[in-house]
Amino acid sequence: MVAISSWGRLGSFEHEVAVLYDRHQVVPQLKSSRAGIAHGMGRSYGDVCLNPDGVLWQTTGLDRFISFDQNSGRLVCEAGVLLRDIQRLVIPHGWILPVTPGTQLVTVGGAIANDVHGKNHHVLGSFGDHVKWIKLIRTDGVIIECGPDFLSDWFAATVGGLGLTGVITEVAIQLRHVASPWLDTETVAYANLDEFFHLADDSEADWEHTVSWIDCVSKGGRGLFMRGNPTDVGQRPEPKSRKLTMPFVPPISLVNRLSLRPFNMTYFNLKKWQAGRSITHYESFFYPLDNLMEWNRMYGPKGFFQYQSVVPRAVGHDAVQEMLKEIARSGDGSFLAVLKTFGNRQSVGMMSFPQPGVTLALDFPNKGNRTLKLFERLDAIVHEAGGRLYPAKDARMPRNLFEAGYPRLSEFLQYRDPGMSSALSRRLMGN
Ligand SMILES: Cc1cc2nc3c(=O)[nH]c(=O)nc-3n(C[C@H](O)[C@H](O)[C@H](O)COP(=O)(O)OP(=O)(O)OC[C@H]3O[C@@H](n4cnc5c(N)ncnc54)[C@H](O)[C@@H]3O)c2cc1C
């Protein structure tokens, strides 16, 4: 048994870890096992990738590239390959992953199971929109190959399927063409939510990537809006990668009431002063947090939660304002707070998180009951607004909010593999 935690470090749980390293041996491995769940890089914040006292199928051993067609941009790889390794392989050949989350240290299987989104949802949707086929292995040994055009119901259940339809071993992804690893970017400060929504609307047509940092302790909801477009700037030296590591777990969270307000004020004013246009390398623009390895330790031994919601656009302004008020009143929160809009498009997956609207994501140091009480107040706002929470970030949402937010749940359950079970599935689906 091995003690494993997820990114939020809310607890460390004993697991029987079975490493998958040969895709041709996955059938016998699954057939001879008790119930389990696939585990990629464990970059999910809560319990979607955990199965305390049960089996974890560790997929990072399935890390082989199978084929890459440089003319069409079609990549076939095993599901444990990291997005970082794909980017490094394909960008020099003029291709890039169309959609990536805020860290590239995740596996392809994890990106599909949570149907992750990036900063360009309004243009290119989510990760699953670019997957051409999946090879899925069920715990009874049945192999299912599915894609958007064949066995599309299995595909829609598996994209965003929280790892519960089987273990994905192989995947084909359609990359998109890119002229260079650089982006033309701009940072614009905004004073309140009205300005945020104006900027988001104005940017949708001309900017592929949009995201904003929001100061969760400010009264009006000020922040910094970042937008970017791929650009061709010819040859430039790659920036030197300077990776630091959070060296230890501090005895208390470094993010607290004393540090948050001054940090946010300094950060906002500094960035406002530096705002404007620049040419930015894709790694700094897409994955700024990857430069500080193990930054999740800064929240101390009790770990942290992330609360990520999406609410429909029509009620988005009011719902976000109410949530920010509750958070400001609580004095909690973190400088890691993101506000962005999703485009007006439906997701491929039955259980995919993205829906048209506005999404707010904030980290909170774990202060026990006090934090959970705050979440209950935020849940009520999300529920009332007709929104949903993101299971990839969740460790505590109540079942009624999950069921209300995911109306295709009962359809999805028909595709579940009875041999797959996670802490999240037991919490929210009963088994
Ligand atoms: C700093 C940071 C920034 C992030 N930014 C974003 C963001 O911008 N957008 C976003 O959408 N997410 C974001 N995330 C969340 C992250 O992208 C997802 O949680 C992702 O799914 C993690 O992938 P993983 O390989 O670590 O998978 P894990 O966390 O280990 O597992 C996630 C899920 O995938 C399943 N799974 C993994 N491999 C397989 C497989 N081979 N077959 C079947 N199921 C499998 C697991 O069972 C589990 O249900 C961020 C996370 C961090 C830490």
Side-chain angles (χ1 to χ4, degrees):
M1 300 294 273
V2 182
I4 307 262
S5 36
S6 63
W7 191 246
R9 301 182 71 257
L10 289 163
S12 183
F13 307 96
E14 295 290 320
H15 288 86
E16 179 189 330
V17 177
V19 180
L20 308 182
Y21 56 88
D22 178 349
R23 66 179 183 273
H24 305 295
Q25 289 304 315
V26 173
V27 168
Q29 279 188 274
L30 297 194
K31 277 182 80 174
S32 61
S33 173
R34 55 197 179 109
I37 194 78
H39 184 91
M41 286 292 280
R43 252 41 184 196
S44 299
Y45 285 60
D47 55 1
V48 70
C49 58
L50 297 177
N51 185 23
D53 299 322
V55 176
L56 275 192
W57 290 299
Q58 178 62 52
T59 64
T60 44
L62 299 173
D63 60 354
R64 292 161 199 84
F65 289 105
I66 297 170
S67 67
F68 170 40
D69 182 338
Q70 294 184 35
N71 295 317
S72 66
R74 183 67 64 94
L75 176 86
V76 180
C77 66
E78 293 182 345
V81 169
L82 300 189
L83 303 193
R84 178 197 63 193
D85 297 337
I86 296 180
Q87 300 288 50
R88 290 185 180 171
L89 172 77
V90 303
I91 290 176
H93 297 283
W95 297 96
I96 194 166
L97 281 166
V99 170
T100 63
T103 172
Q104 55 181 343
L105 300 174
V106 302
T107 62
V108 169
I112 293 173
N114 278 324
D115 193 15
V116 299
H117 57 271
K119 301 173 176 43
N120 57 353
H121 182 266
H122 59 286
V123 182
L124 291 175
S126 49
F127 198 88
D129 284 300
H130 308 279
V131 175
K132 293 298 156 195
W133 54 258
I134 286 170
K135 188 183 267 190
L136 182 71
I137 306 210
R138 307 270 289 176
T139 53
D140 60 5
V142 171
I143 299 174
I144 296 174
E145 290 190 24
C146 56
D149 308 317
F150 56 104
L151 295 188
S152 56
D153 52 338
W154 279 97
F155 185 72
T158 301
V159 170
L162 311 172
L164 296 170
T165 60
V167 173
I168 304 164
T169 54
E170 286 167 60
V171 176
I173 304 169
Q174 180 57 50
L175 304 166
R176 66 170 295 203
H177 186 65
V178 76
S180 84
W182 299 90
L183 292 109
D184 174 16
T185 62
E186 185 172 32
T187 301
V188 186
Y190 60 88
N192 52 47
L193 287 183
D194 286 334
E195 284 187 25
F196 163 80
F197 281 106
H198 279 304
L199 273 165
D201 288 344
D202 286 354
S203 305
E204 269 203 7
D206 297 328
W207 295 86
E208 177 178 328
H209 301 280
T210 61
V211 69
S212 89
W213 171 82
I214 182 154
D215 178 355
C216 72
V217 287
S218 73
K219 284 216 175 69
R222 70 179 175 184
L224 300 157
F225 194 89
M226 275 82 75
R227 47 195 183 187
N229 277 326
T231 188
D232 186 358
V233 287
Q235 292 285 344
R236 283 184 174 224
E238 296 266 317
K240 288 215 167 50
S241 162
R242 265 178 294 157
K243 299 240 181 308
L244 299 172
T245 301
M246 179 78 195
F248 60 93
V249 181
I252 56 161
S253 171
L254 299 183
V255 182
N256 53 48
R257 285 176 174 208
L258 290 179
S259 63
L260 185 57
R261 197 172 286 277
F263 181 94
N264 275 11
M265 197 200 298
T266 313
Y267 182 75
F268 177 78
N269 286 318
L270 181 73
K271 291 284 172 185
K272 187 176 168 188
W273 180 66
Q274 292 172 341
R277 214 119 174 187
S278 56
I279 299 295
T280 311
H281 191 258
Y282 80 94
E283 286 194 334
S284 326
F285 186 74
F286 292 142
Y287 321 115
L289 290 170
D290 284 353
N291 281 331
L292 180 59
M293 306 295 283
E294 304 200 54
W295 59 259
N296 54 344
R297 291 176 168 179
M298 75 183 165
Y299 292 97
K302 291 188 182 150
F304 71 109
F305 294 92
Q306 186 172 104
Y307 191 94
Q308 180 165 5
S309 60
V310 57
V311 291
R313 186 58 198 275
V315 291
H317 181 290
D318 291 353
V320 170
Q321 189 142 53
E322 271 186 66
M323 284 194 267
L324 289 174
K325 262 194 211 154
E326 283 292 350
I327 294 162
R329 197 177 302 147
S330 76
D332 291 331
S334 157
F335 40 83
L336 291 173
V338 172
L339 182 65
K340 73 167 264 95
T341 47
F342 282 148
N344 198 10
R345 49 192 301 157
Q346 294 306 319
S347 295
V348 183
M350 295 174 189
M351 299 292 289
S352 295
F353 167 69
Q355 65 171 28
V358 55
T359 177
L360 176 67
L362 290 120
D363 288 356
F364 292 88
N366 175 17
K367 294 184 180 161
N369 212 24
R370 183 169 127 181
T371 313
L372 297 175
K373 287 279 170 217
L374 168 64
F375 291 159
E376 282 174 17
R377 298 196 292 278
L378 301 182
D379 288 348
I381 299 168
V382 174
H383 198 278
E384 170 79 24
R388 55 168 70 144
L389 300 188
Y390 190 7
K393 310 288 181 71
D394 180 60
R396 45 63 56 193
M397 86 168 100
R399 202 160 160 176
N400 66 336
L401 183 60
F402 179 63
E403 288 171 358
Y406 290 88
R408 295 182 74 185
L409 177 61
S410 55
E411 186 187 352
F412 164 75
L413 291 177
Q414 298 165 32
Y415 297 87
R416 257 197 82 173
D417 184 328
M420 314 275 315
S421 181
S422 65
L424 178 137
S425 74
R426 291 193 286 281
R427 182 165 60 82
L428 294 175
M429 301 171 203
N431 63 347

